[in-house]
Amino acid sequence: MTDTIAEHASHDLTAGTPLVAMSGVGKTYGAIRALEGVDLTVRAGEVTCVLGDNGAGKSTLIKIMSGLHPHSEGTLTVDGGEVRFGSPRESLDRGIATVYQDLAVVSLMEVWRNFFLGSELRRGNFPLAPLDIGKMREIADAELKKMGIHVKDINQPIGTLSGGQRQCVAIARAVYFGARVLILDEPTAALGVKQSGVVLKYTAAARDAGLGVVFITHNPHHAYMVGDHFIILKLGRRVLDRTRAEVSLEELTAEMAGGQELAELSHELQR
Amino acid sequence: MSTPVATQSPPTPSSPDGPVRVERSLGARVLGRPEIGAFAAAVVIFVFFFVIAPPFRTPEALSTILYSASTIGIVALGVALLMIGGEFDLSSGVAVTTSALASAMLSYQLSLNVWVGVIVSLVISLAIGALNGWLLVKTKLPSFLITLSTFFVLQGVNLGVTKLVTGTVATTNINQLDGFASARTIFAGDIPLGFMTLKASVIWWLVFVAVATWILLRTRTGNWIFAVGGNQDSARAVGVPVAKVKIGLFMGVAFMAWFLGQHLLMNFSTVQAGLGVGNELIYIVAAVVGGALLTGGFGSAIGAAIGAFIFGMTTQGIVYAGWDPNWFKTFLGVMLLLAVLVNLYIKNSASKRK
Ligand SMILES: Nc1ncnc2c1ncn2[C@@H]1O[C@H](COP(=O)(O)OP(=O)(O)OP(=O)(O)O)[C@@H](O)[C@H]1O
Ligand SMILES: [Mg+2]
């Protein structure tokens, strides 16, 4: 799979170049303000970790980058040009692939159809051109094997896989199609230790292949293993923005938990 | 770092300790097909009428049954695809009449070639379908409500406009107009096969079923139809143009309704403006009996064809058996209930973890 990343990575990536930049970005859902004044830069060859409690606005932030919904204020810049994505297709076409927290799979469809959904391989470029089913099955199967996932049958509906296996399909798919930016929304949430390890390795491999990676997690340990840059969101605002050199794991954990609040909590829970 | 750095592969677990990949057994795959329940029902019903109704056994009876099935199956096919895509269309029954009326009145009133009416009514039908789809994606209301409105609007327009134009509730006979003969051959001709004569609509129906099956299973469009019906948000998130697919599906139903409308017009050379009300439900039932899931994401074109064939068999079978045709509706209700239960069972056993 790491060779897949290198193979599919765009070849004009130079470490340190800003790929996606947000400046003063905000998002409101009707009366609910989910995000406010967030600045963030995703650079090639770096892993940007976004941390925060439930409802902090992490998913909202990445949904703006992946085109699922447009931002209501601020500017979003991709490869130096300001954009406002109208659909996920536009974001995908810029080489930005996302693993969504809710995975974005269609339960009743086969594993291989889910893998290629929206980016199907066809034998020709005319309307109603036949799908290249054999090749899609082969690739999906090979990519999953590289992740250490052995599905019984690549033709089984994806709803019959376990939550962790589904997560792996979603990750394998994003890694396969993400050429410039890879966004992972809590990719390790449903995974066991071994699969979490594999995901962290891919994250590192994507970084080494020159991709810009956005890694969202609740787990400061996972974040610190791969991250180059850490951002903590709280109630839709950025409360911390440090590079790896400027922050230790302990500080990160404490910041994440809200320092003082954690001390109070441990006091409360004392028996 | 201008080129990707070669990276070390994560240790791939050696295949021996991973479970061996197995293809699901043929039996499991056949039982997972949407149309399997309908197929079994069709066989049972066929045998039943074959045994109790001697006239049912003749080739002429088969030809009549196929014809009757085609008049349901053509629109039911479009409806099935739409349902796989997760939507409903309650306006399909009256849309058939709208297409026939538009074609007939245009040709007759302006004394044009019949083919002009055929083409213009196609444009009108597709526009109605596109409008249904467009309203759906713009308002995000349930398709039930939108197409119910279209149903009432079209029902009123059909009667109102026909009365304004002809003064009666039927169109004037168009069989003396230029182009009628050729249009009749195409839409409603008789095809002699020696042992029986088939209506052109039957052949068209089978062609449409083949095309729809190809689209569903072998093209990207088909993939997208299943995806928008199965989980529209997920489909959108991975880049499927959900709005286009939905509008396209409504236009597909409209196309089928147009075709049937032209068939009816060429077959009888006149149309009753009140026709078609209630047929939308029969199309939906045929699609459901054929395995289309009411909630979308599952179903097949062949299934809808089998569903229509079941209804063709039953409408004619009841007559051949000498019963009161009114029992057909009762049968319809029972079939629907059974089909929904069977579909639920199949869907659960096909998609749940074992
Ligand atoms: N579609 C929506 N409509 C209305 N409010 C929303 C919507 N999506 C998110 N929100 C609100 O925005 C806020 C941030 O949600 P978001 O999903 O971004 O949180 P998160 O940081 O990803 O949380 P988690 O860790 O639980 O995934 C929440 O208060 C949530 O209720
Ligand atoms: Mg989230």
Side-chain angles (χ1 to χ4, degrees):
Chain A
M1 173 72 72
T2 41
D3 35 304
T4 305
I5 298 177
E7 213 173 281
H8 291 273
S10 176
H11 287 281
D12 60 349
L13 295 166
T14 316
T17 335
L19 298 175
V20 179
M22 285 181 155
S23 149
V25 162
K27 170 76 191 171
T28 48
Y29 293 107
I32 303 167
R33 180 165 274 280
L35 213 58
E36 198 175 350
V38 171
D39 298 331
L40 171 153
T41 309
V42 182
R43 294 175 193 278
E46 281 187 11
V47 178
T48 306
C49 292
V50 181
L51 297 115
D53 283 334
N54 295 119
K58 307 182 293 297
S59 296
T60 305
L61 179 78
I62 61 112
K63 281 177 184 168
I64 292 170
M65 283 189 232
S66 52
L68 214 56
H69 51 46
H71 45 290
S72 10
E73 49 201 57
T75 54
L76 172 65
T77 320
V78 175
D79 296 322
E82 195 181 331
V83 291
R84 191 184 171 79
F85 291 135
S87 77
R89 184 77 260 162
E90 293 173 25
S91 167
L92 278 160
D93 289 343
R94 301 294 293 261
I96 302 173
T98 310
V99 178
Y100 295 95
Q101 194 172 8
D102 55 12
L103 300 183
V105 294
V106 183
S107 308
L108 283 169
M109 292 178 81
E110 295 99 315
V111 173
W112 66 268
R113 283 194 197 260
N114 266 288
F115 190 99
F116 279 96
L117 187 57
S119 310
E120 291 85 352
L121 303 180
R122 301 192 295 164
R123 299 167 191 270
N125 207 7
F126 48 97
L128 303 190
L131 293 171
D132 196 342
I133 294 179
K135 198 160 168 205
M136 286 195 279
R137 281 196 179 126
E138 219 170 86
I139 293 174
D141 200 27
E143 295 303 318
L144 289 177
K145 279 212 178 110
K146 287 185 200 164
M147 269 202 96
I149 294 300
H150 293 259
V151 292
K152 258 205 218 147
D153 180 357
I154 202 85
N155 299 313
Q156 75 194 86
I158 202 165
T160 61
L161 297 183
S162 80
Q165 287 176 317
R166 278 198 295 256
Q167 184 110 40
C168 288
V169 176
I171 294 167
R173 171 173 72 183
V175 163
Y176 187 79
F177 292 108
R180 302 176 70 78
V181 177
L182 184 60
I183 302 172
L184 305 160
D185 195 353
E186 304 197 18
T188 53
L191 300 185
V193 177
K194 184 171 140 197
Q195 255 72 31
S196 292
V198 174
V199 170
L200 291 172
K201 272 181 199 142
Y202 287 170
T203 311
R207 174 196 62 200
D208 294 343
L211 268 70
V213 182
V214 182
F215 189 87
I216 295 180
T217 178
H218 285 277
N219 189 328
H221 296 272
H222 284 172
Y224 206 73
M225 269 190 257
V226 291
D228 298 297
H229 203 126
F230 304 91
I231 285 170
I232 296 184
L233 291 180
K234 193 171 273 179
L235 297 175
R237 289 173 165 280
R238 196 183 62 176
V239 295
L240 175 136
D241 179 7
R242 302 265 173 85
T243 61
R244 191 181 181 84
E246 297 166 346
V247 68
S248 69
L249 175 58
E250 288 67 39
E251 282 174 87
L252 201 62
T253 315
E255 246 343 296
M256 227 331 254
Q260 183 61 27
E261 290 162 41
L262 187 69
E264 279 169 21
L265 181 69
S266 73
H267 181 72
E268 255 174 62
L269 293 176
Q270 240 157 32
R271 292 188 285 172
Chain B
M1 189 170 56
S2 55
T3 49
V5 179
T7 52
Q8 214 192 340
S9 286
T12 322
S14 47
S15 350
D17 54 15
V20 188
R21 279 260 325 274
V22 287
E23 290 278 308
R24 279 186 304 162
S25 70
L26 184 66
R29 268 181 292 160
V30 168
L31 282 181
R33 295 292 313 152
E35 59 274 345
I36 188 71
F39 182 75
V43 171
V44 170
I45 292 165
F46 187 84
V47 170
F48 175 75
F49 282 117
F50 197 88
V51 170
I52 67 153
F56 190 85
R57 298 168 201 166
T58 60
E60 294 76 47
L62 183 62
S63 156
T64 314
I65 290 166
L66 282 172
Y67 174 62
S68 167
S70 74
T71 59
I72 296 171
I74 288 173
V75 187
L77 185 63
V79 169
L81 261 59
L82 179 70
M83 285 179 69
I84 296 171
E87 304 296 340
F88 265 116
D89 190 351
L90 293 178
S91 67
S92 57
V94 286
V96 170
T97 312
T98 306
S99 129
L101 289 171
S103 179
M105 288 192 286
L106 208 95
S107 307
Y108 186 85
Q109 300 301 327
L110 305 178
S111 307
L112 297 169
N113 189 297
V114 166
W115 283 100
V116 176
V118 169
I119 301 298
V120 174
S121 68
L122 173 61
V123 174
I124 294 174
S125 291
L126 290 178
I128 294 170
L131 182 71
N132 272 336
W134 183 80
L135 284 172
L136 180 97
V137 297
K138 278 294 156 208
T139 63
K140 300 196 167 58
L141 287 169
S143 48
F144 178 84
L145 288 177
I146 287 170
T147 59
L148 186 63
S149 318
T150 319
F151 164 78
F152 282 122
V153 170
L154 290 184
Q155 197 186 346
V157 167
N158 284 352
L159 286 161
V161 172
T162 310
K163 267 193 182 161
L164 275 182
V165 173
T166 68
T168 67
V169 289
T171 61
T172 325
N173 202 314
I174 61 161
N175 61 10
Q176 298 308 315
L177 295 182
D178 287 347
F180 179 79
S182 60
R184 185 180 156 91
T185 310
I186 296 290
F187 288 102
D190 289 315
I191 298 163
L193 294 180
F195 60 101
M196 65 176 171
T197 305
L198 277 186
K199 269 281 180 199
S201 64
V202 176
I203 305 295
W204 282 114
W205 174 45
L206 298 179
V207 169
F208 291 147
V209 171
V211 171
T213 302
W214 162 265
I215 290 178
L216 275 180
L217 299 179
R218 290 282 178 269
T219 71
R220 183 172 76 178
T221 309
N223 230 24
W224 289 354
I225 294 173
F226 280 106
V228 301
N231 190 337
Q232 145 172 357
D233 296 332
S234 295
R236 189 172 111 80
V238 294
V240 174
V242 174
K244 271 193 206 163
V245 174
K246 297 231 161 171
I247 294 175
L249 285 171
F250 275 103
M251 291 175 74
V253 176
F255 177 83
M256 293 306 186
W258 165 78
F259 188 91
L260 183 65
Q262 302 312 300
H263 164 76
L264 295 176
L265 175 63
M266 302 314 160
N267 203 32
F268 303 110
S269 53
T270 160
V271 223
Q272 299 289 324
L275 217 70
V277 179
N279 286 352
E280 63 283 342
L281 294 179
I282 294 183
Y283 304 143
I284 291 173
V285 175
V288 173
V289 166
L293 215 56
L294 285 157
T295 46
F298 194 70
S300 82
I302 294 178
I306 298 176
F309 184 68
I310 287 178
F311 292 149
M313 266 195 302
T314 318
T315 36
Q316 302 308 318
I318 287 174
V319 175
Y320 290 132
W323 301 341
D324 178 353
N326 288 317
W327 287 106
F328 175 68
K329 287 282 158 63
T330 308
F331 170 81
L332 206 69
V334 174
M335 275 310 286
L336 177 62
L337 189 62
L338 286 178
V340 173
L341 293 175
V342 171
N343 288 354
L344 193 70
Y345 174 78
I346 290 179
K347 184 203 164 196
N348 284 343
S349 57
S351 65
K352 291 280 154 55
R353 304 193 54 205
K354 283 169 212 115

